[in-house]
């Protein structure tokens, strides 16, 4: 099969199957061969790898992945794309297409079944409307992962890798940086997709830590503290944590924990590093 990821082949496939793009599924297909090969290169996919692809679309990136990997498992929610994928990827025998919602499927069981529980690589041009739940699910549900290389909205990629004191810093930055080492590997213009998205895009690679370098006694509790701090990010940290129903902490214990950390009583959550959040949550956890 010739390359799918160019304007001519993509339009031919779309008209052959009378396919209608579904905005609700975040369907923006890549039509730039350079971008597609760069993504697979940046993910460093080798013949030893099992790759999970989220949202294969008509198979533009899947094709590159099938050529590079040992095994590819592609999870696609849109059932009208399944017969198309069966044809476009017909020549590959290392592909498994699963017609499911990625947010409902048990990815840990998939890694177990197809890779004996060894770490997989996740590579995808993500549906942007569910970027955060997908990334959080991959990290929090104990899926054995080596790295995640994904196209996301540029603004979200920036949020994932920034540190304290910037407007983009928030719960997503802290979660991504707790579980992995992120770096943006490519910026991609709307021209490289059909239909063109209204926003700029970027590919970010997250190398998952075997053991998070920052330790917290209870990471679930730490993320409750982090969420509370950023749910009311204009308030002081003391007030944001005090107002959180999820935490039910009293003002005195929060103030005393913040003092113990050597921080100002009027500090805001956006000024704290991941390490400071870990220490703060350890102190509050004891209480
Ligand atoms: N990989 C293709 C490409 O690069 O051209 C398509 C990427 S497109 C941005 C996102 C894809 O994710 C679409 O094929 C869409 O149908 C699929 N998708 C959307 N929501 C999904 C979900 N919850 N589970 C699995 N796939 C989903």
């Amino acid at each position: 099969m010739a390359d799918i990821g160019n304007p001519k082949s993509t339009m031919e496939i779309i008209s052959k199957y009378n396919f209608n793009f579904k905005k609700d599924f975040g369907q923006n297909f890549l039509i730039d061969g350079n971008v597609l090969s760069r993504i697979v290169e940046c993910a460093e996919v080798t013949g030893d790898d099992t790759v999970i692809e989220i949202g294969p679309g008509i198979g533009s990136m899947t094709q590159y992945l099938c050529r590079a990997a040992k095994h590819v498992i592609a999870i696609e929610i849109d059932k009208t794309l399944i017969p198309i994928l069966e044809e476009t990827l017909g020549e590959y025998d290392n592909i498994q297409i699963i017609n499911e919602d990625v947010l409902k499927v048990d990815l840990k069981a998939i890694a177990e079944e197809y890779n004996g529980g060894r770490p997989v690589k996740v590579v995808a041009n993500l549906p942007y409307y569910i970027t955060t739940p997908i990334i959080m699910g991959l990290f929090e549900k104990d899926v054995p992962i080596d790295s995640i290389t994904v196209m996301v909205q540029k603004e979200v990629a920036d949020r994932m890798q920034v540190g304290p004191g910037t407007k983009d810093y928030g719960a997503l930055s802290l979660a991504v940086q707790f579980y992995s080492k992120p770096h943006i590997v490519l910026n991609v213009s709307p021209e490289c997709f059909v239909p063109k998205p209204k926003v700029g895009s970027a590919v970010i690679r997250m190398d998952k830590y075997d053991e998070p370098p920052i330790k917290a006694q209870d990471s679930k509790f730490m993320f409750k503290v982090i969420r509370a701090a950023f749910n009311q990010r204009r308030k002081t940290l003391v007030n944001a944590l005090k107002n959180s129903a999820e935490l039910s902490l009293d003002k005195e214990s929060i103030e005393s924990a913040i003092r113990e950390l050597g921080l100002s009583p009027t500090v805001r959550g956006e000024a704290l590093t991941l390490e400071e959040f870990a220490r703060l949550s350890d102190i509050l956890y004891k209480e």
Side-chain angles (χ1 to χ4, degrees):
M1 174 93 190
D3 285 354
I4 305 160
N6 59 59
K8 186 169 174 281
S9 303
T10 297
M11 292 329 285
E12 275 170 13
I13 293 167
I14 283 174
S15 69
K16 177 173 173 192
Y17 286 91
N18 221 350
F19 175 77
N20 291 313
F21 287 96
K22 293 168 200 74
K23 229 177 160 182
D24 289 356
F25 283 158
Q27 290 176 341
N28 300 93
F29 297 166
L30 272 166
I31 48 164
D32 186 311
N34 288 327
V35 172
L36 286 161
S37 57
R38 284 283 292 135
I39 296 173
V40 179
E41 234 171 76
C42 290
E44 293 178 289
V45 174
T46 74
D48 290 330
D49 288 321
T50 295
V51 173
I52 294 183
E53 186 192 8
I54 298 160
I58 56 171
S60 320
M61 185 148 73
T62 326
Q63 195 177 41
Y64 284 75
L65 292 169
C66 286
R67 291 174 189 151
K70 182 175 74 182
H71 203 159
V72 181
I73 295 104
I75 303 162
E76 174 56 62
I77 196 170
D78 184 353
K79 66 176 186 317
T80 67
L81 286 168
I82 306 305
I84 304 183
L85 286 165
E86 276 161 7
E87 183 182 328
T88 57
L89 303 173
E91 73 186 79
Y92 301 102
D93 56 9
N94 58 343
I95 171 81
Q96 185 73 37
I97 299 162
I98 301 178
N99 182 204
E100 288 277 1
D101 177 346
V102 70
L103 296 178
K104 296 199 180 132
V105 82
D106 183 346
L107 293 170
K108 194 176 172 191
I110 288 180
E112 187 59 54
E113 182 178 350
Y114 293 98
N115 206 31
R118 287 182 304 280
V120 298
K121 288 184 175 158
V122 175
V123 185
N125 170 17
L126 287 182
Y128 293 172
Y129 73 106
I130 43 171
T131 301
T132 301
I134 291 177
I135 301 290
M136 295 311 293
L138 289 170
F139 285 139
E140 286 180 342
K141 289 186 187 149
D142 264 351
V143 186
I145 285 174
D146 176 50
S147 63
I148 303 173
T149 305
V150 282
M151 176 94 71
V152 297
Q153 195 178 327
K154 168 84 179 97
E155 196 190 304
V156 176
D158 290 339
R159 244 188 275 156
M160 287 173 174
Q161 62 158 25
V162 291
T166 56
K167 72 167 179 24
D168 288 337
Y169 185 59
L172 181 64
S173 334
L174 286 154
V176 166
Q177 293 165 34
F178 178 73
Y179 291 107
S180 76
K181 194 171 163 45
H183 59 282
I184 293 179
V185 291
L186 198 63
N187 287 317
V188 182
S189 108
E191 306 297 317
C192 302
F193 302 82
V194 66
K196 286 182 207 152
K198 289 199 177 70
V199 291
S201 301
V203 178
I204 186 161
R205 172 167 163 168
M206 293 161 263
D207 288 301
K208 188 158 183 232
Y209 295 125
D210 293 334
E211 278 295 319
I214 306 282
K215 301 262 179 298
Q217 258 178 42
D218 183 321
S219 57
K220 285 208 170 73
F221 180 74
M222 178 182 75
F223 280 111
K224 281 186 189 167
V225 172
I226 290 173
R227 273 198 300 274
F230 287 100
N231 273 346
Q232 296 189 305
R233 63 184 297 148
R234 305 312 304 156
K235 291 209 182 325
T236 63
L237 183 59
V238 175
N239 284 333
L241 299 190
K242 183 181 64 100
N243 294 345
S244 159
E246 219 188 357
L247 289 171
S248 65
L249 291 165
D250 64 78
K251 193 169 181 197
E252 287 68 37
S253 9
I254 304 168
E255 279 172 343
S256 130
I258 289 177
R259 253 196 320 276
E260 203 176 321
L261 280 181
L263 296 171
S264 150
T266 59
V267 74
R268 290 198 185 131
E270 62 195 13
L272 269 67
T273 61
L274 176 57
E275 190 158 13
E276 286 170 328
F277 270 115
R279 285 170 51 212
L280 175 67
S281 71
D282 282 356
I283 301 168
L284 292 171
Y285 190 67
K286 271 193 237 133
E287 312 252 336

